[in-house]
């Protein structure tokens, strides 16, 4: 995933609210070992438990009507993977090219409740390459041994 900038428009504000740096937020978020708690809201929207308690923030007071597909965000005690573009009241930290849901792919859903998820930061160039591959139906996520 790529953190900050156009991919994570709330990263700097989250860092200010938590009295730290954007690099610190990225390091703490990427160090997490998350578990899929639930899939819902929209197809593939994955609610992940395991957010570092120091990153917990209340949801936004003014939800956005539209956020991009692949957004990785935090809200309350969770982090989330928003597969499809849609509304969100969470704080946007970055984006992943991984499509957790694609109707015409086998498997349709990449994540199931109970799965473990880790985030690996990548630069914008790698993100763009993986995003194009994922758009074409490739699975760009890596399955890690348990």
């Amino acid at each position: 995933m790529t953190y900050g900038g156009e991919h994570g428009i709330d990263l700097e504000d989250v860092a200010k609210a938590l009295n730290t740096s954007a690099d610190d937020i990225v390091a703490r978020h990427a160090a997490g070992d998350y578990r899929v708690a639930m899939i819902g809201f929209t197809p593939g929207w994955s609610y992940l438990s395991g957010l570092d308690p120091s990153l917990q923030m209340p949801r936004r007071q003014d939800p956005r009507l539209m956020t991009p597909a692949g957004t990785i965000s935090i809200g309350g005690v969770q982090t989330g993977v928003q597969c499809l573009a849609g509304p969100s009241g969470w704080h946007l930290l970055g984006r992943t090219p991984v499509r957790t849901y694609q109707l015409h792919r086998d498997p349709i859903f990449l994540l199931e409740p109970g799965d473990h998820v880790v985030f690996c930061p990548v630069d914008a160039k790698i993100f763009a390459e993986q995003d194009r591959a994922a758009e074409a139906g490739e699975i760009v996520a890596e399955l890690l041994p348990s």
Side-chain angles (χ1 to χ4, degrees):
M1 82 172 273
T2 299
Y3 287 91
E6 68 179 300
H7 298 297
I9 59 175
D10 294 329
L11 179 62
E12 294 292 335
D13 290 338
V14 168
K16 287 178 189 170
L18 296 176
N19 199 29
T20 190
S21 68
D23 288 342
D24 183 51
I25 299 293
V26 169
R28 285 193 267 163
H29 188 266
D33 179 21
Y34 302 97
R35 182 168 286 225
V36 178
M38 184 181 97
I39 306 289
F41 184 59
T42 61
W45 213 114
S46 304
Y47 293 85
L48 308 180
S49 61
L51 181 65
D52 181 329
S54 68
L55 296 178
Q56 295 175 3
M57 292 189 59
R59 294 181 184 189
R60 293 175 47 85
Q61 288 184 334
D62 300 311
R64 291 184 175 90
L65 296 177
M66 189 59 62
T67 55
T71 296
I72 306 296
S73 53
I74 57 174
V77 299
Q78 296 177 314
T79 195
V81 180
Q82 182 176 334
C83 184
L84 303 174
S88 178
W90 293 32
H91 304 277
L92 287 53
L93 298 184
R95 287 185 58 213
T96 180
V98 175
R99 307 301 200 272
T100 58
Y101 164 82
Q102 277 186 315
L103 184 59
H104 302 291
R105 178 189 64 206
D106 184 23
I108 294 172
F109 293 96
L110 289 185
L111 298 175
E112 297 180 14
D115 285 351
H116 283 272
V117 174
V118 295
F119 295 107
C120 300
V122 297
D123 64 28
K125 180 182 179 205
I126 292 172
F127 176 90
E129 292 167 1
Q130 291 179 340
D131 194 49
R132 282 190 296 276
E135 182 67 29
E138 290 183 40
I139 297 174
V140 296
E142 182 179 351
L143 179 61
L144 301 174
S146 16

